[in-house]
Amino acid sequence: MHHLHHCVSARSFRALWMLEELQLPYTLHMLPFPPRVLQRSYLELNPLGTVPLLRHGEARLTESAAICEYLAALHPGAGLSVQPQEADFAAYLNWLHMSDATLTFPQTLVLRYTHFEPAERRQPQVAQDYQRWFLARLRAVEQAVEQRHWLAADRFTAADVAVGYALMLSAHLEMEPQWGPATQAYWQRLQQRPAFQRALQAEQQAARAQAVDETPSPQLR
């Protein structure tokens, strides 16, 4: 059994989406955001106080892109990983790491300086600069999906889940009108996946059952 600790709309959604794509059994533990402040007992499981936390046997993973890679690697028959002997192996790994380090990171600064800081500490110029930073780097996605439906190996993989969450967060931040047309079409394809839709439903149902605010909103990890 997989145990996923998750906040609504947080980047732990990547792990939830992967679990649904692979149709693996899991228990979803919903947390209020930020859990390190609002549910201090969580620190006993994850001293960082962040989500995601995936518990799978003795394994403990706290990085969302690493969880995507881990789950895909454990189930190679599902085709969500790209193997070293395949031509797109390097591209697959690069997209997985780019999804968080390059595409999600600048958005966390936009969030911080527009939503999470007290009014007197908010920095509109910082937020605007990092929004531009993100949009500039999103051009790599635009160029990739102009040529193909998915990012690597001519099939849907964990790289699409990882990058897809960065687009989900960007859409929450109302940046979608500034994306290129190929990226917008790619995002529509991602949202149409049954596993994506099941993940959204699972998140909302678990939040309701566990008395956690289910309102979709952008969250920091």
Side-chain angles (χ1 to χ4, degrees):
M1 177 65 71
H2 304 76
H3 291 266
L4 177 62
H5 299 262
H6 171 53
C7 295
V8 172
S9 297
R11 67 183 95 176
S12 45
F13 187 83
R14 286 182 174 123
L16 178 56
W17 185 358
M18 280 293 298
L19 290 166
E20 287 290 349
E21 287 285 352
L22 292 165
Q23 300 186 53
L24 298 174
Y26 65 89
T27 298
L28 189 57
H29 304 271
M30 300 301 299
L31 297 163
F33 183 84
R36 59 185 172 271
V37 174
L38 298 179
Q39 193 158 323
R40 300 285 294 175
S41 60
Y42 177 59
L43 295 171
E44 297 173 13
L45 290 174
N46 178 11
L48 296 174
T50 57
V51 293
L53 167 63
L54 180 71
R55 295 184 289 128
H56 180 219
E58 296 300 314
R60 299 289 187 274
L61 294 95
T62 60
E63 294 295 325
S64 60
I67 292 171
C68 292
E69 184 174 357
Y70 171 79
L71 292 173
L74 287 183
H75 303 276
L80 296 183
S81 61
V82 177
Q83 302 305 310
Q85 65 271 21
E86 294 185 71
D88 269 1
F89 177 62
Y92 167 73
L93 292 180
N94 199 61
W95 284 117
L96 278 172
H97 289 272
M98 182 188 292
S99 71
D100 223 28
T102 300
L103 297 177
T104 305
F105 164 71
Q107 296 188 81
T108 65
L109 294 174
V110 176
L111 280 166
R112 176 176 180 177
Y113 289 110
T114 58
H115 291 78
F116 298 138
E117 289 286 352
E120 67 275 8
R121 285 181 49 82
R122 293 183 181 179
Q123 299 288 337
Q125 187 63 57
V126 172
Q128 185 179 60
D129 289 347
Y130 276 94
Q131 178 172 315
R132 289 174 178 165
W133 196 93
F134 164 77
L135 290 168
R137 282 145 185 82
L138 192 62
R139 292 173 192 154
V141 175
E142 178 73 9
Q143 291 172 358
V145 295
E146 280 178 340
Q147 306 299 322
R148 54 173 76 177
H149 264 53
W150 308 115
L151 292 172
D154 293 322
R155 65 179 184 270
F156 179 88
T157 69
D160 297 293
V161 171
V163 172
Y165 174 75
L167 295 179
M168 181 180 181
L169 181 57
S170 178
H172 278 314
L173 290 169
E174 301 180 343
M175 297 183 200
E176 189 172 354
Q178 299 179 72
W179 303 350
T183 302
Q184 292 181 14
Y186 172 56
W187 174 229
Q188 292 303 312
R189 290 195 294 277
L190 291 169
Q191 292 179 90
Q192 290 166 9
R193 292 191 66 81
F196 177 88
Q197 296 171 13
R198 290 196 304 269
L200 287 176
Q201 293 171 356
E203 173 185 79
Q204 293 167 7
Q205 291 170 359
R208 194 176 307 124
Q210 297 173 41
V212 173
D213 185 2
E214 65 188 270
T215 305
S217 60
Q219 305 285 8
L220 284 172
R221 178 171 61 136

